[in-house]
Structure formats: C-alpha cells, structure tokens
Amino acid sequence: MLGASSRHSRLRRTAAVVTGLAATAAYTFAVAPGVAHADSTAAATPTVTGITLSATQPKVKTSTHHHVKVALTAYSYAGGGDLNIELSTKAESHSWDFPVPQSALSVNSSGKGTLKPKASATQPLAKVALSFKPTGSATVQKCKGVVESKTRKVSISGTFWMDTQSGKHGWGTAGSKKKTFHFTSRPTIVWEYDTGGVYCETPPPTPCLSGGSWNISGGTQVNIYGNLNSKRVTATRYVTLHKPKGVDRTDNITTTLKKVHFTRHGNTTAKLVLTGNKKKGTTGSGTITGKTAVTGTGLCGKNDSGKASYTYWKTTKYAHGKPPLRVHDIYGAMTGKNGSADLSVTKVTKKPSKG
C-alpha cells in the first residue's frame, strides 16, 4: 500500500520501541489478532502506490578499518520519499533516515532508474548517486487473487559515501565520493499496488516462552531491555540531527551484562538487580523494583494453540546504582532514567501444537 512503504521507514523508531516493549509487556499476547476479509471492490487494474529500492553490501571496510555491512533502502510514494542507510556489525547497528523528495528515486516500468537525492538532503552525512538496471524476470505477489506487489532483481552501482561522525574511535566513513561503489547482495526493486481493500498480512504468532523480560526507559531517546533468563542486553538510542534538517539516527547494540539477579516475594513484589560487564561494554549497575502484581493467562504459539500464564507489575521503578548502568557504543554511553521501567514474567502452561 502507499502508506506501507513510507510508514515502514519513517516510523522505524516507533517499531523499535514497540519491539522492546512487546518483549517487556508479555501480557499483551492475550489479545487475539483480528482476521481481515477481502473487499469486493478490489481494483481490476493494479495502481502503483509505492516503489522500494533495496540493496546491501555485506563486507565494507571503513576508513577506521572496521568491517561493516551497508544496507540502503529508498522509497518513493505519492507526496514524498525516504532514504534509509544502515551500517552494522553482528552486535551493533546505526541507521540514518533521510526525508527526500519523491523525485529522488526515478524508475521506469522495467526496473531501470536512478537514485539521486539532492545534496542538501544528505550532506554532510552522505553522498548518493546510484544507477540501476534489471537483471532478471519480475515475480508477482498476489493477495487473494489480487496483484499486491511485483519484484525484480537489479544491478546497482555508482557513488555511495557515508560519514558516521563517530569520532576517532568510531567507524569513520564507508564508501567513496570518487570511486564506484557496488551493491552485490541481491538488490531489488519492488512495486506496491493498491489492492482495493484486500488485506493478507498475518501477524506472527506470539512465541511460547517461559521466562520474563525487563525494560528501562530513557525517555523518548533511550530504551534498554533484556530477558530474566539471559545476561544479554539490548540498548537503543534515537537522535534527531541538526544537519541535514529532519534526519533521524537510530543506534542499536546487543551485548551482555555480568549479572541479572531476579528475586520475587510471592505474587506481590519483585526485584531485579542488573550489573554491568566492563569487558563487554556495559558498566555500572541498576535496580528495578516491582509492586502490585497482576496475573492472568493468554494464548501463544501457532494458531494460538498454546497457553501461558503471565505476571506483570503495575508499579515498577528503576534506580541507578553507583555508578549508573550504562551500555556503550561508538557514540558513547546509553543509560536509563531513574523512575520508568517494566517487568514481567511468563510461564508456558500448555505447549503449542506442531501441526
């Protein structure tokens, strides 16, 4: 759909927050997803509502000798466009979301075109001037008999350069302002069509997992979260940059803590102590306390065939240790704020069917 392309990129930060909170508020799986039905007014002739160019280069050596994966996604839709560039390693990723005009991505019906946003939309962070052409036959995706999208592989190359602006200990720049850059990992063009009201997307089932989750909020800028049965921790930061205007950067890193110690007193109160692991880029400590437990049951697994019990604490507070818990990436330290937190526990009471 038209909104699907634009919303997917422009609401990237919202999706990241929801991902973290969904892991935290396990009780939300009690709400069963609705089922949409086909609309008899489905369009007979497909109308293009959005076009997406996607390309990746798995191994790129930056100016500071780090090896990163480069992913580029460009959207064109009625009224506007969007360009997202992501640099990542196995544990850490950083993405930049550039609002660009619809004309930045130009493509004909066969899949030949260019991606050339104006310099004012990307500099001083990036320089992008790419050309692409089709390399194979198009494949069509149908939804209940109605054409939903068309995908075609393309070859893409040209100018690509990205400055992470992460300091001398960061990743430096990727690509080149002068040398030709090639995206080799299955770049594609996707045309999206108006399906006339037919809806086929099905939300993935809630996994049936015993354990629990926690989340520390740093306001609208930072979220730190993890599971009670693991020392893994994920931290996400959202930054609105001053230049170019309107550009957002999302930072994400997953690493480990030294200790995740959870204690529970009956069904009323709970306490979680988190301790950093300096060797893994986490330092300090923090404590989440929970009061006023709420319990219930919900469905999970394929076709909601499994069941689980859940407990979450209505009143949860986070308190810094001395020093506060911090998760470090190439831009510095991420830390939560005293006060806001979430804490929940789940236990599978019926395993889902395998069929």
Side-chain angles (χ1 to χ4, degrees):
M1 305 299 168
L2 160 62
S5 291
S6 59
R7 287 196 299 269
H8 176 73
S9 180
R10 298 304 295 167
L11 298 183
R12 179 181 294 270
R13 66 159 64 184
T14 302
V17 174
V18 171
T19 300
L21 295 182
T24 303
Y27 54 90
T28 56
F29 61 61
V31 181
V35 179
H37 300 280
D39 191 319
S40 60
T41 61
T45 303
T47 300
V48 176
T49 58
I51 301 175
T52 303
L53 170 68
S54 301
T56 60
Q57 182 56 273
K59 296 181 180 180
V60 177
K61 189 176 182 179
T62 72
S63 61
T64 54
H65 309 291
H66 289 80
H67 290 86
V68 300
K69 175 182 176 181
V70 173
L72 177 147
T73 308
Y75 306 92
S76 175
Y77 48 89
D82 204 274
L83 169 64
N84 186 272
I85 296 172
E86 181 178 87
L87 273 58
S88 64
T89 62
K90 186 177 181 179
E92 186 171 348
S93 68
H94 305 279
S95 65
W96 293 260
D97 201 35
F98 300 87
V100 297
Q102 182 184 13
S103 58
L105 178 61
S106 175
V107 55
N108 65 18
S109 58
S110 69
K112 182 179 180 180
T114 59
L115 174 62
K116 294 182 178 180
K118 292 181 179 180
S120 59
T122 61
Q123 293 184 8
L125 287 175
K127 185 176 182 180
V128 178
L130 299 167
S131 299
F132 50 91
K133 59 183 179 181
T135 59
S137 301
T139 58
V140 175
Q141 176 81 30
K142 290 188 176 182
C143 170
K144 298 178 181 177
V146 178
V147 176
E148 186 178 32
S149 65
K150 180 176 71 173
T151 302
R152 192 163 195 178
K153 296 178 183 178
V154 297
S155 62
I156 177 171
S157 62
T159 301
F160 172 83
W161 175 84
M162 182 73 211
D163 186 357
T164 64
Q165 297 185 340
S166 54
K168 64 180 180 179
H169 298 298
W171 290 355
T173 63
S176 173
K177 291 183 177 180
K178 297 181 179 180
K179 296 181 181 180
T180 300
F181 189 94
H182 298 275
F183 288 90
T184 60
S185 185
R186 299 175 62 86
T188 60
I189 282 285
V190 177
W191 291 265
E192 296 177 18
Y193 299 103
D194 181 1
T195 60
V198 175
Y199 181 76
C200 292
E201 290 187 13
T202 303
T206 300
C208 288
L209 299 173
S210 295
S213 57
W214 57 270
N215 178 285
I216 301 168
S217 174
T220 59
Q221 298 299 317
V222 173
N223 275 278
I224 302 174
Y225 54 93
N227 296 316
L228 297 180
N229 55 357
S230 171
K231 294 179 182 179
R232 288 168 63 88
V233 59
T234 298
T236 303
R237 178 199 294 116
Y238 311 100
V239 181
T240 298
L241 305 178
H242 297 294
K243 192 174 183 180
K245 185 178 180 180
V247 175
D248 294 334
R249 189 189 78 226
T250 302
D251 309 314
N252 194 82
I253 184 169
T254 298
T255 182
T256 57
L257 298 171
K258 184 177 181 179
K259 184 185 295 185
V260 177
H261 184 63
F262 177 69
T263 55
R264 179 175 175 179
H265 302 284
N267 289 322
T268 55
T269 63
K271 183 178 181 180
L272 176 66
V273 179
L274 307 166
T275 306
N277 185 342
K278 189 174 182 180
K279 292 182 179 180
K280 298 296 184 178
T282 56
T283 58
S285 63
T287 301
I288 297 176
T289 56
K291 297 181 180 181
T292 314
V294 176
T295 61
T297 60
L299 304 178
C300 59
K302 187 175 181 180
N303 299 321
D304 291 335
S305 57
K307 290 184 179 181
S309 63
Y310 63 85
T311 301
Y312 72 95
W313 283 266
K314 291 180 65 176
T315 304
T316 51
K317 291 185 178 181
Y318 169 71
H320 288 314
K322 294 182 179 180
L325 179 69
R326 294 187 175 98
V327 181
H328 302 260
D329 70 352
I330 62 173
Y331 291 102
M334 287 180 262
T335 186
K337 290 185 177 181
N338 279 327
S340 182
D342 294 287
L343 185 62
S344 64
V345 174
T346 60
K347 182 179 179 181
V348 175
T349 56
K350 175 186 176 184
K351 293 184 178 180
S353 62
K354 296 181 179 180

